[in-house]
Short mmCIF file of all heavy atoms in Angstrom, two decimals:
data_model
loop_
_atom_site.label_atom_id
_atom_site.label_comp_id
_atom_site.label_asym_id
_atom_site.label_seq_id
_atom_site.Cartn_x
_atom_site.Cartn_y
_atom_site.Cartn_z
N GLY A 270 -8.68 17.94 -13.40
CA GLY A 270 -9.64 17.45 -12.42
C GLY A 270 -9.11 16.33 -11.55
O GLY A 270 -9.45 16.23 -10.37
N ALA A 271 -8.26 15.48 -12.13
CA ALA A 271 -7.69 14.37 -11.35
C ALA A 271 -6.80 14.90 -10.22
O ALA A 271 -6.88 14.44 -9.08
CB ALA A 271 -6.88 13.45 -12.26
N LEU A 272 -5.98 15.92 -10.53
CA LEU A 272 -5.10 16.51 -9.50
C LEU A 272 -5.90 17.34 -8.51
O LEU A 272 -5.57 17.37 -7.32
CB LEU A 272 -4.03 17.37 -10.17
CG LEU A 272 -2.70 16.69 -10.56
CD1 LEU A 272 -1.90 16.29 -9.34
CD2 LEU A 272 -2.95 15.50 -11.45
N LEU A 273 -6.94 17.99 -8.98
CA LEU A 273 -7.82 18.74 -8.08
C LEU A 273 -8.45 17.79 -7.08
O LEU A 273 -8.53 18.08 -5.87
CB LEU A 273 -8.90 19.45 -8.89
CG LEU A 273 -10.02 20.14 -8.11
CD1 LEU A 273 -9.48 21.24 -7.22
CD2 LEU A 273 -11.06 20.72 -9.07
N GLY A 274 -8.86 16.63 -7.56
CA GLY A 274 -9.48 15.65 -6.68
C GLY A 274 -8.54 15.10 -5.64
O GLY A 274 -8.92 14.90 -4.48
N SER A 275 -7.27 14.87 -6.01
CA SER A 275 -6.33 14.24 -5.09
C SER A 275 -5.66 15.24 -4.14
O SER A 275 -5.23 14.86 -3.05
CB SER A 275 -5.25 13.49 -5.87
OG SER A 275 -4.51 14.37 -6.70
N THR A 276 -5.56 16.50 -4.56
CA THR A 276 -4.90 17.50 -3.71
C THR A 276 -5.87 18.38 -2.94
O THR A 276 -5.48 19.02 -1.97
CB THR A 276 -4.00 18.42 -4.55
OG1 THR A 276 -4.82 19.17 -5.47
CG2 THR A 276 -2.96 17.63 -5.32
N LYS A 277 -7.11 18.43 -3.39
CA LYS A 277 -8.12 19.32 -2.81
C LYS A 277 -7.69 20.78 -2.91
O LYS A 277 -8.06 21.61 -2.08
CB LYS A 277 -8.40 18.95 -1.34
CG LYS A 277 -8.87 17.52 -1.14
CD LYS A 277 -10.15 17.24 -1.91
CE LYS A 277 -10.63 15.80 -1.68
NZ LYS A 277 -11.82 15.48 -2.50
N GLN A 278 -6.90 21.10 -3.93
CA GLN A 278 -6.47 22.48 -4.16
C GLN A 278 -6.92 22.94 -5.54
O GLN A 278 -6.84 22.19 -6.51
CB GLN A 278 -4.95 22.59 -4.05
CG GLN A 278 -4.42 22.38 -2.65
CD GLN A 278 -2.96 22.80 -2.52
OE1 GLN A 278 -2.51 23.71 -3.21
NE2 GLN A 278 -2.24 22.14 -1.64
N GLU A 279 -7.36 24.19 -5.61
CA GLU A 279 -7.74 24.77 -6.89
C GLU A 279 -6.47 25.18 -7.64
O GLU A 279 -5.55 25.75 -7.05
CB GLU A 279 -8.62 26.00 -6.69
CG GLU A 279 -10.04 25.69 -6.26
CD GLU A 279 -10.86 25.08 -7.39
OE1 GLU A 279 -10.56 25.37 -8.57
OE2 GLU A 279 -11.80 24.33 -7.09
N PRO A 280 -6.40 24.93 -8.95
CA PRO A 280 -5.22 25.32 -9.71
C PRO A 280 -5.24 26.80 -10.08
O PRO A 280 -6.29 27.44 -10.09
CB PRO A 280 -5.34 24.46 -10.98
CG PRO A 280 -6.82 24.33 -11.17
CD PRO A 280 -7.40 24.22 -9.78
N LEU A 281 -4.07 27.32 -10.40
CA LEU A 281 -3.94 28.64 -11.00
C LEU A 281 -4.05 28.43 -12.50
O LEU A 281 -3.20 27.78 -13.10
CB LEU A 281 -2.58 29.26 -10.67
CG LEU A 281 -2.18 29.29 -9.18
CD1 LEU A 281 -0.76 29.78 -9.04
CD2 LEU A 281 -3.14 30.18 -8.42
N VAL A 282 -5.10 28.95 -13.13
CA VAL A 282 -5.32 28.73 -14.56
C VAL A 282 -4.71 29.89 -15.33
O VAL A 282 -5.07 31.05 -15.11
CB VAL A 282 -6.82 28.60 -14.87
CG1 VAL A 282 -7.03 28.34 -16.36
CG2 VAL A 282 -7.45 27.48 -14.05
N VAL A 283 -3.77 29.58 -16.24
CA VAL A 283 -3.10 30.63 -17.00
C VAL A 283 -3.70 30.80 -18.40
O VAL A 283 -3.46 31.82 -19.06
CB VAL A 283 -1.58 30.36 -17.12
CG1 VAL A 283 -0.92 30.45 -15.76
CG2 VAL A 283 -1.30 29.01 -17.77
#
Side-chain angles (χ1 to χ4, degrees):
L272 270 291
L273 172 62
S275 61
T276 64
K277 302 301 181 184
Q278 292 192 31
E279 287 288 332
L281 308 173
V282 181
V283 294

